[in-house]
Amino acid sequence: MQEHLRASGIGPEDARELAGTVINTLEGTELSAQVARSEEPLHTAGRHLARLLATYC
């Protein structure tokens, strides 16, 4: 993911941190979705991550 972000013109430190944020968010959201037995946390996180990534690209 970091390489893809770098290829999009994002600086190395921002790409590393952003990739970590996305991965950590998805991992936590997966756990929340399992506990809640709902896909809604995944949908919510996806919408917000898309907005976040759009601010960089």
Side-chain angles (χ1 to χ4, degrees):
M1 171 176 259
Q2 184 176 346
E3 293 81 22
H4 180 72
L5 294 169
R6 290 276 297 127
S8 297
I10 298 173
E13 187 172 340
D14 282 341
R16 182 182 55 78
E17 291 177 354
L18 186 56
T21 297
V22 170
I23 291 166
N24 290 330
T25 299
L26 291 174
E27 287 177 347
T29 300
E30 182 179 355
L31 179 60
S32 293
Q34 289 175 358
V35 169
R37 296 178 190 248
S38 170
E39 293 180 357
E40 188 55 34
L42 296 167
H43 295 296
T44 300
R47 284 192 303 272
H48 286 278
L49 286 173
R51 288 184 206 148
L52 174 63
L53 290 169
T55 66
Y56 283 88
C57 299

